[in-house]
Amino acid sequence: MRTMFIFFGMLFTLSNAEFQVSLLKESDGVVTGRFADSLLLSLPPCALATQSVTLEYNNTDTNESKTLVNIFKVLPCRFRRDIISTIENNAQFTTSRNLGYQVTNLTTGSTYRLQYVVGAEKSNILEVSTRQVKDHNQIDSGLPARSGAMVVITVILSVSMFILLVALIVTVAHSLGGD
Amino acid sequence: MADGKGFTCLMVILILGNIFGAAAGLALCALAIWVAVDEYKLYPISSVSGKDEIFAGAWIAIFTGFAFFCMCVFGILAAAKKSRALMLTYLILMLIIYIFECASCITAVTHRDYLVGNSNLVKKQMLKYYAADGDSGSRITLTWNKVMKEVECCGTDGPVDWIEYNSTFREKFGTDYPWPTHCCKRKNNYEVVNVEACKNGQNTTMFTKGCFNHIESVFSRYTWAISWYGFAVLMFMFWLLILAMVYYLML
């Protein structure tokens, strides 16, 4: 009896499994998902369509939590033929494709733990940090390395200059001495 | 002390060599003028950092190229007249021009390494001077806007440069626009296709490749024109001068 309850319990948790949330990457069509003060998150799966989404996040450095309630409704599934994305904007219509959600007003260089809550379902907790902005004055712009071309040209030309100078001196001396 | 056949042969070789040298010197002058004109208009990137010696090398090469041309014509005259005094003048003046041309080649190739050996200097300059006030700021801003528009690129190694580092642009305009709007694709009437998508970094609405490849290839092209072609001319002139010295000794 007990094993049957455990078995059903497992089935129940499996059916309430978390959906995945992740940061948008280059393969999703953006330059980067991590900015200095915002993050681009993927959307909840379209199976949860028309339900309202809440985002909870926590700054692990300062331990502040924030909850954004009902930020958007999950979009319905689209048919495969819509995978070509166009942003056509004329007087009649606009076609667009939705990529993700941007969480703004974050602090630079902090680690956050984010989680979507859609109705009864929760996503996994995504732990990610915003970009730490570096000072451009710290970039080392000194001479990187001497290229092969530079070494070859300098060496060969210097040697040839020296040879010519010596040869000229010898020539003049010889002709003066010879006379 | 004319020796006859060997002597005449050397004289002919010298005259032919000087004709070829005159042509090569004139070509060097023309090539150096091309570099100095800077059709890609990237001079501000080198001058603001104070590393514009590629163009200094070009200016020297204009004068030495033309001087080679004049001296080679004079050399034809000196060889044909079989005059010792003229040949000595030729040798001394050619050596002086040779040394100046060597300086031009070495300078150009060394400063190319400083400027575009890696992307750090160009990146630092972009972050410091883009959208800055003052003469340097406006020149760099105009140059970068032109490059981003024509080459369809953004930032030095990519748009990430603008968010990875702080910059004068960010200090002035805040973080609403992560990168300048010149990184965004535009329609034929110069209107941005989609500003919001560009701000979010969507690949289809902005340029994602870096501009450093183009800048590096332009400066390398200028440098190879001055330094490697100058090197070729000098190697030819080296043997011509050795022959001229032998001829002088036979006179």
Side-chain angles (χ1 to χ4, degrees), chain A residues 42-95:
Chain A
S42 60
L43 295 171
C46 57
L48 304 163
T50 69
Q51 294 183 57
S52 184
V53 182
T54 299
L55 179 68
E56 297 170 351
Y57 62 92
N58 172 339
N59 184 334
T60 53
D61 303 322
T62 60
N63 219 12
E64 284 171 45
S65 279
K66 205 158 172 191
T67 307
L68 301 168
V69 184
N70 292 344
I71 35 179
F72 60 92
K73 289 195 167 23
V74 182
L75 298 150
C77 300
R78 290 169 180 260
F79 295 108
R80 288 298 282 170
R81 63 180 167 81
D82 272 329
I83 53 173
I84 299 167
S85 102
T86 46
I87 303 176
E88 268 196 84
N89 195 345
N90 61 22
Q92 280 86 36
F93 64 90
T94 307
T95 328

Side-chain angles (χ1 to χ4, degrees), chain A residues 29 31 37 131 134 140 147 160, chain B residues 98 113 164 166 175 201 203:
Chain A
V31 165
D37 60 353
R131 272 187 204 265
K134 296 180 243 186
D140 177 19
S147 66
S160 70
Chain B
Y98 190 93
D113 284 353
E164 189 87 15
N166 67 358
T175 53
N203 292 349

Side-chain angles (χ1 to χ4, degrees), chain B residues 15-27:
Chain B
I15 289 177
L16 288 175
N18 273 311
I19 293 172
F20 189 77
L26 207 58

Side-chain angles (χ1 to χ4, degrees), chain B residues 1 9-11 14 22 25 35 41 45 53 69 75 96 113-114 116-117 137-138 145 158 203 247:
Chain B
M1 260 195 300
C9 193
L10 187 56
M11 187 180 83
L14 215 49
V35 174
K41 302 277 179 284
I45 291 182
E53 270 77 10
F69 169 74
I96 293 170
D113 284 353
Y114 273 116
V116 293
S138 72
N145 285 345
N203 292 349
Y247 183 76

Side-chain angles (χ1 to χ4, degrees), chain B residues 114-162:
Chain B
Y114 273 116
L115 200 53
V116 293
N118 64 15
S119 60
N120 288 352
L121 186 118
V122 175
K123 188 187 297 194
K124 187 170 182 176
Q125 191 193 69
M126 173 188 86
L127 294 168
K128 188 169 173 190
Y129 287 106
Y130 187 89
D133 294 320
D135 183 48
S136 303
S138 72
R139 285 157 72 202
I140 291 286
T141 309
L142 286 171
T143 307
W144 271 95
N145 285 345
K146 182 174 180 294
V147 170
M148 288 198 279
K149 189 179 80 160
E150 287 178 5
V151 180
E152 294 183 351
C153 58
C154 180
T156 309
D157 293 320
V160 176
D161 290 342
W162 292 107

Side-chain angles (χ1 to χ4, degrees), chain B residues 58-211:
Chain B
W59 280 103
I60 298 175
I62 294 175
F63 293 112
T64 55
F66 189 68
F68 270 138
F69 169 74
C70 294
M71 283 314 300
C72 283
V73 168
F74 177 73
I76 295 170
L77 205 79
K81 275 201 157 181
K82 299 189 181 114
S83 155
R84 272 204 142 191
L86 289 180
M87 276 308 288
L88 188 62
T89 316
Y90 169 78
L91 284 173
I92 291 172
L93 288 177
M94 278 292 265
L95 187 65
I96 293 170
I97 299 166
Y98 190 93
I99 291 172
F100 273 104
E101 179 57 29
C102 280
S104 157
C105 295
I106 294 173
T107 308
V109 78
T110 311
H111 282 88
R112 178 218 163 256
D113 284 353
Y114 273 116
L115 200 53
V116 293
N118 64 15
S119 60
N120 288 352
L121 186 118
V122 175
K123 188 187 297 194
K124 187 170 182 176
Q125 191 193 69
M126 173 188 86
L127 294 168
K128 188 169 173 190
Y129 287 106
Y130 187 89
D133 294 320
D135 183 48
S136 303
S138 72
R139 285 157 72 202
I140 291 286
T141 309
L142 286 171
T143 307
W144 271 95
N145 285 345
K146 182 174 180 294
V147 170
M148 288 198 279
K149 189 179 80 160
E150 287 178 5
V151 180
E152 294 183 351
C153 58
C154 180
T156 309
D157 293 320
V160 176
D161 290 342
W162 292 107
I163 50 180
E164 189 87 15
Y165 295 92
N166 67 358
S167 58
T168 310
F169 172 78
R170 167 173 284 195
E171 278 167 41
K172 261 200 168 162
F173 297 109
T175 53
D176 185 32
Y177 284 86
W179 31 70
T181 48
H182 283 85
C183 290
C184 308
K185 286 189 180 162
R186 290 168 188 265
K187 301 188 250 199
N188 286 337
N189 63 359
Y190 206 61
E191 211 183 300
V192 177
V193 170
N194 189 335
V195 181
E196 287 306 316
C198 183
K199 286 204 290 189
N200 290 334
Q202 289 184 42
N203 292 349
T204 46
T205 57
M206 63 180 283
F207 308 128
T208 50
K209 74 175 184 199
C211 299

Side-chain angles (χ1 to χ4, degrees), chain A residues 97-109:
Chain A
R97 187 182 66 153
N98 295 287
L99 290 174
Y101 178 72
Q102 184 174 27
V103 191
T104 51
N105 289 331
L106 305 175
T107 30
T108 315

Side-chain angles (χ1 to χ4, degrees), chain A residues 145-157, chain B residues 105-106 108-110 112-113 220 223-224 227-228 231:
Chain A
R146 299 187 190 284
S147 66
M150 185 238 146
V151 174
V152 164
I153 289 178
T154 309
V155 166
I156 294 181
L157 287 184
Chain B
C105 295
I106 294 173
V109 78
T110 311
R112 178 218 163 256
D113 284 353
S220 292
T223 308
W224 301 156
S227 63
W228 279 118
F231 179 78

